[in-house]
């Protein structure tokens, strides 16, 4: 075996910053000196701004598709600089770093770990509004760069339950709108009977297997590639056509 | 020569997924363990959704600017989950992987190759709506990770002509709108007489060499950095000002 | 020390091209063969189109957060193909490559260097409208790939002052709108008395330490993570709510 065949651990970034933004750019700038010994992946930066609850259910659905071992740095805050504890959830295959605001409450069911409260890393002054740059990514690099190290041994265990540990495992809500205008929900599709209709606002939608089955412009629901119920229109934006937004509720008929 | 000087083969991604989206993120997650032995480049993820014909002409124009050897995974579908064959076009310098819906019909003139029908890769269940993750990128990795391997030897040759093999080499259509609102067309600029005017909708546009030559806010046509005819306004969005969209037709006067 | 511990020099890209665009994709395509011997970071691609003055003040604020040694290729032109000299500012820790239109006029105060006029690189024909691909990035690669080389020794020194060398060190203008709709200004926050109010258009805004302090939907000013004065609304877009755009002026009361 040559050094060429080593698999490098992955740092996933999961935020509402917007890709191509100066925020993501600053994160990559501090990560870059550690490449290629670690690899970094922009898992998603187009999360609905300021909705950690929605992002939590999407992250859980992405869980089975993550390449591990990895660290996820997640940042979605209801308002920048709002008070919440910065935490590390140190799991065997996946560690999670970010705010204790519910963002990790669902994925942690798949990747359990011990929870710690993060301390400021002294080399860098901590800004009030950019913990991603000043706290979360520096901690991720500490964990990743030397996989044998146990930097968490200096941290205080977080003894209270994390925010969202009492939230349900799935929710009848829209959690994400993608570039096509498809509305991803927080409901798992596997056990839903295909005869059921979904009602959202004034609209009642039937099931279709794929887009090709639906008449042009007709709205329908199907089970997407993450296993979640998704609302779509064939070749149109469901979000625009049905006036659907993140956090909108739906019911099964 | 040291290992440091090896040039790694490139995996280009060319989609309408939206960069920073969870779709692109999942692709990079399965590519990441193979870095830096291969390199990956987001060639474009902002293609007009669901328009493989437009994307085909843009890809052909990008052809001369690709770094080879490389594999392009391209995904633009008229509707997700619609029926079309998944294909591999195995060329000497450039291989193409994606749907047989015309997307590769124009670039293949520059980079010809033998066509195969792709089989599902058994290790991963095939979703109905995300062949990029479950089929196309896994096949690209097979081709790239061991350049001496010939994984296509197990595939069935695709004997019918690919979709779009009878399309013209250039089209009088808008094929892409960029962030500035410039409208790129599918017409090659090299042989167009600069005295000719271009008519699109109710607008008649004259030629200018560069933006600097045009009066503020005036629309004009010029030959862009890909060699294609492009419609622009100096310091304004031509798409907004002239109400131009992808797939709009134009004529030469 | 093993080769694994080498820190690779960084190539930052800073443009108004839009991330995920075919322009950024082409740049990464010509950079890719040089990875991982250099590393590349998309510092920002969502700059306000065609406003080099605004981008200059934002780049200066990003300066302290850049990882050096590095080269920044910056491209923001008032109009594509407009006449301006292509320059290299060769500093000890940071080199700057791009148009002489003011873009580097502010960051160069932190990272001074000798200025050269760039010549076309003969291997590649120079397009009128994409100097990033045909001139700036090829020059950056020359500087980065062999850190011992001095390719600038063949260049003509640029003897006139660069554009913007007489601009003030800070400006009472909005210089960037981010994905949240927050309006970043070109004014340094450090020495502003927190009792002062900021007036922009018909709106008068008071200071708040963080978003959490502000009432829902109320606009305020604070000092952001770059040290700049920023205008925000708690959980709303300040840009939309106050109708603020890049290059809008403000005054202190």
């Amino acid at each position: 075996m040559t050094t060429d065949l080593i698999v490098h651990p992955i740092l996933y970034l999961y935020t509402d910053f917007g890709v191509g933004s100066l925020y993501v750019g600053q994160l990559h700038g501090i990560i870059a000196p550690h490449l290629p010994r670690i690899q970094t992946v922009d898992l998603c930066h187009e999360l609905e701004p300021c909705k950690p609850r929605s992002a939590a259910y999407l992250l859980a659905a992405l869980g089975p598709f993550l390449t591990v071992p990895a660290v996820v740095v997640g940042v979605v805050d209801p308002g920048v600089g709002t008070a919440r504890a910065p935490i590390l959830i140190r799991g065997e295959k996946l560690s999670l770093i970010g705010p204790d605001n519910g963002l990790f409450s669902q994925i942690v069911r798949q990747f359990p770990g011990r929870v710690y409260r993060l301390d400021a890393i002294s080399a860098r002054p901590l800004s009030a509004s950019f913990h991603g740059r000043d706290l979360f990514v520096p901690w991720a690099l500490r964990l990743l760069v030397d996989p044998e190290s146990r930097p968490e041994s200096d941290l205080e265990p977080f003894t209270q339950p994390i925010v969202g540990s009492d939230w349900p495992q799935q929710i009848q809500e829209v959690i994400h709108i993608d570039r096509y205008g498809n509305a991803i929900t927080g409901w798992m599709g596997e056990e839903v009977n295909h005869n059921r209709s979904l009602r959202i606002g004034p609209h009642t939608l039937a099931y279709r297997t794929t887009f090709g089955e639906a008449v042009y412009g007709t709205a329908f629901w199907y089970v997407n590639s993450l296993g979640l119920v998704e609302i779509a229109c064939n070749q149109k934006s469901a979000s625009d056509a049905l006036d659907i937004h993140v956090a909108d509720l739906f019911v099964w008929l």
Side-chain angles (χ1 to χ4, degrees), chain A:
Chain A
M1 200 178 86
T2 76
T3 54
D4 238 30
L5 297 174
I6 290 169
V7 170
H8 304 288
I10 296 175
L11 169 51
Y12 281 101
L13 303 177
Y14 183 73
T15 79
D16 63 355
F17 295 164
V19 74
S21 69
L22 58 105
Y23 309 113
V24 174
Q26 288 176 80
L27 298 187
H28 281 294
I30 60 176
I31 295 165
H34 301 283
L35 303 176
R37 291 184 297 281
I38 65 170
Q39 290 297 333
T40 186
V41 170
D42 295 303
L43 179 58
C44 188
H45 289 300
E46 306 300 313
L47 298 167
E48 181 75 7
C50 308
K51 298 242 185 293
R53 176 181 160 96
S54 306
Y57 287 93
L58 188 63
L59 184 57
L62 285 162
F65 299 97
L66 298 179
T67 301
V68 290
V71 173
V72 174
V73 167
V75 193
V76 182
D77 275 307
V80 178
T82 44
R84 75 285 184 279
I87 56 171
L88 157 66
I89 306 178
R90 185 65 154 144
E92 197 189 348
K93 291 182 176 169
L94 191 73
S95 293
L96 303 157
I97 295 178
D100 178 32
N101 62 14
L103 182 59
F104 300 136
S105 62
Q106 304 309 306
I107 194 172
V108 80
R109 300 180 201 266
Q110 295 162 58
F111 297 102
R114 195 155 178 194
V115 188
Y116 300 89
R117 186 192 185 88
L118 287 178
D119 288 334
I121 288 188
S122 56
R124 186 177 276 276
L126 184 65
S127 67
S129 57
F130 198 3
H131 287 184
R133 179 192 67 194
D134 300 334
L135 184 62
F136 299 145
V137 165
W139 264 102
L141 293 173
R142 262 200 199 178
L143 295 183
L144 285 163
V145 168
D146 179 1
E148 300 302 308
S149 76
R150 298 194 60 258
E152 68 273 23
S153 59
D154 295 331
L155 291 174
E156 182 191 343
F158 194 73
T159 50
Q160 70 213 72
I162 64 169
V163 171
S165 55
D166 55 346
W167 294 354
Q169 275 200 272
Q170 51 184 352
I171 53 176
Q172 288 182 195
E173 281 183 31
V174 173
I175 60 171
H176 189 71
I177 308 282
D178 71 12
R179 183 169 185 251
Y180 306 98
N182 296 341
I184 301 175
T185 77
W187 199 260
M188 296 169 200
E190 204 178 5
E191 296 185 11
V192 183
N193 189 310
H194 294 175
N195 292 326
R196 299 191 73 171
S197 290
L198 181 159
R199 188 172 178 89
I200 185 160
H203 309 285
T204 301
L205 313 178
Y207 173 82
R208 292 288 177 272
T209 315
T210 61
F211 287 44
E213 258 189 36
V215 175
Y216 174 85
T218 310
F220 60 97
W221 73 268
Y222 79 119
V223 181
N224 73 11
S225 62
L226 296 174
L228 295 174
V229 169
E230 181 168 314
I231 298 165
C233 276
N234 196 15
Q235 300 188 46
K236 283 177 61 178
S237 162
S239 169
D240 288 350
L242 308 182
D243 194 26
I244 298 177
H245 302 94
V246 169
D248 283 358
L249 304 177
F250 72 87
V251 291
W252 290 111
L253 300 184

